[in-house]
Amino acid sequence: MVNLGLTIGNLKFRNPVITASGTFGNGSEFDDFIDISRLGGVVLKGTTLELREGNPYPRMAETASGMLNSVGLQNKGIDYFEREIYPRVSAYDTNVIVNINGSYIEDYVALAERVNRLEKIPAIELNISCPNVKMGGMAFGTNPVTAREVIRAVRAAYSKVLIVKLSPNVTDITEFARISEEEGAESVSLINTLLGMAVDVKSMKPSLSTITGGLSGPAVKPVALRMVWQVANAVRIPVIGIGGIMTANDAIEFMLAGASAVQVGTASFIDPQVSVKIVEGIEKYLADKKFSDVKDITGRINR
Ligand code: SIN
């Protein structure tokens, strides 16, 4: 028997595999494909105080070993979330995490207060790394002063588990991980997408309406892995690794580099069952290697 369970803050996860925000809808889209209770958790699509239409189309483009998105945080806002989505996701037998976003610190705080009151949401992922909005998002998460301010304000407003989602579009991501830890976050998740672009040579126009967008998928994995390793060596709080995880072996690489858990994102667009396959693959790897506990491989490359 292998123990796949872990704890972040006071929150127990049955295994280290979580689905990434924006790639798993609100979970119900996957009901026909997987049993959500097999997952450690799900992070829901980024939520804001008010409804957002998102960016104009085109806002997705395929690239070599990856994809660009510039969705622009399209969502129906927290009122709709509480009324329509929360009752459904409350029934899930897994950790349901809300990814929160804002243009101003006050937005983040108001949203955090609202989500704090939702009994069946045990954690938020504070998104200070969305590269696709004119205000807020990555602008907060690439400046150490504003990153600290927003994390501090949200921490004061939110009493449950706080995970800060970090941007890779910085010189030294460990600085932002340390700030998150100092301001009381229980965990950091990384990486959000890398700022990129693509051009359609036929039309001679950018492939995305916003010209730039966020790159995800296998193309970013080596960069993400390097950043996870750096951050895991810089902070004591658990690290959640994200970035091009397509297989159990990819997830295990992140764990060996120091991640306590992982998020699976772009891969779910290709195979809606991939997250559960990754849980099974990690379990088999541990059994084959004769490890009894998933925690035994976290940061193993350093030992
Ligand atoms: C988006 O909605 O544009 C993506 C969200 C993110 O990258 O955080």
Side-chain angles (χ1 to χ4, degrees):
M1 285 297 285
V2 173
N3 174 35
L4 290 179
L6 65 136
T7 304
I8 295 180
N10 59 8
L11 184 59
K12 289 189 171 33
F13 289 76
R14 67 166 56 91
N15 65 57
V17 181
I18 304 166
T19 56
S21 177
T23 61
F24 203 70
N26 288 309
S28 53
E29 293 86 343
F30 287 74
D31 281 348
D32 288 342
F33 300 101
I34 57 166
D35 173 3
I36 279 182
S37 71
R38 301 278 313 277
L39 299 175
V42 295
V43 186
L44 306 182
K45 172 67 190 153
T47 302
T48 51
L49 268 184
E50 311 290 344
L51 174 152
R52 284 207 195 191
E53 299 288 356
N55 291 327
Y57 292 90
R59 54 193 196 182
M60 301 272 250
E62 209 170 317
T63 58
S65 296
M67 61 171 269
L68 286 163
N69 93 82
S70 175
V71 173
L73 296 173
Q74 179 186 3
N75 80 100
K76 292 188 174 168
I78 189 67
D79 289 341
Y80 179 89
F81 177 83
E82 282 187 357
R83 206 175 53 243
E84 304 290 335
I85 299 172
Y86 179 62
R88 275 184 275 135
V89 299
S90 298
Y92 289 154
D93 179 19
T94 191
N95 292 322
V96 179
I97 300 167
V98 176
N99 175 288
I100 70 163
N101 298 267
S103 302
Y104 302 97
I105 291 185
E106 294 74 22
D107 300 347
Y108 281 102
V109 170
L111 203 46
E113 283 170 348
R114 294 276 293 268
V115 181
N116 204 30
R117 294 201 285 266
L118 303 177
E119 194 197 334
K120 295 291 173 77
I121 307 293
I124 55 173
E125 184 173 64
L126 172 60
N127 189 352
I128 51 170
S129 45
C130 173
N132 305 325
V133 285
K134 288 202 181 80
M135 292 177 66
M138 194 176 89
F140 280 113
T142 53
N143 175 328
V145 175
T146 52
R148 189 181 291 282
E149 276 171 12
V150 69
I151 299 166
R152 182 173 293 179
V154 167
R155 178 70 290 175
Y158 188 74
S159 62
K160 296 187 243 177
V161 171
L162 172 61
I163 302 162
V164 181
K165 188 166 187 177
L166 300 179
S167 174
N169 302 301
V170 292
T171 307
D172 180 8
I173 197 167
T174 64
E175 182 180 11
F176 295 86
R178 282 198 192 92
I179 290 169
S180 305
E181 181 175 52
E182 284 162 14
E183 295 303 331
E186 277 85 3
S187 175
V188 283
S189 57
L190 61 136
I191 57 171
N192 203 327
T193 52
L194 271 164
L195 194 61
M197 68 180 275
V199 174
D200 177 356
V201 293
K202 206 164 157 206
S203 66
M204 298 195 265
K205 287 187 174 1
S207 302
L208 299 172
S209 70
T210 49
I211 305 179
T212 62
L215 180 66
S216 63
V220 308
K221 198 188 91 184
V223 176
L225 201 53
R226 182 264 295 175
M227 289 188 169
V228 162
W229 174 74
Q230 288 177 316
V231 166
N233 284 301
V235 295
R236 286 176 306 275
I237 53 176
V239 175
I240 302 174
I242 319 169
I245 295 175
M246 309 299 282
T247 64
N249 270 4
D250 292 337
I252 292 161
E253 278 190 69
F254 275 86
M255 297 175 87
L256 292 170
S260 296
V262 293
Q263 288 183 17
V264 178
T266 307
S268 293
F269 293 133
I270 297 166
D271 176 2
Q273 298 176 323
V274 70
S275 47
V276 169
K277 290 177 187 167
I278 290 174
V279 175
E280 291 166 353
I282 294 171
E283 190 168 22
K284 182 172 182 322
Y285 173 87
L286 292 169
D288 289 350
K289 289 265 186 197
K290 309 224 178 316
F291 287 113
S292 58
D293 197 304
V294 70
K295 292 183 275 300
D296 292 342
I297 64 165
T298 293
R300 187 87 190 180
I301 61 166
N302 287 331
R303 280 181 242 157

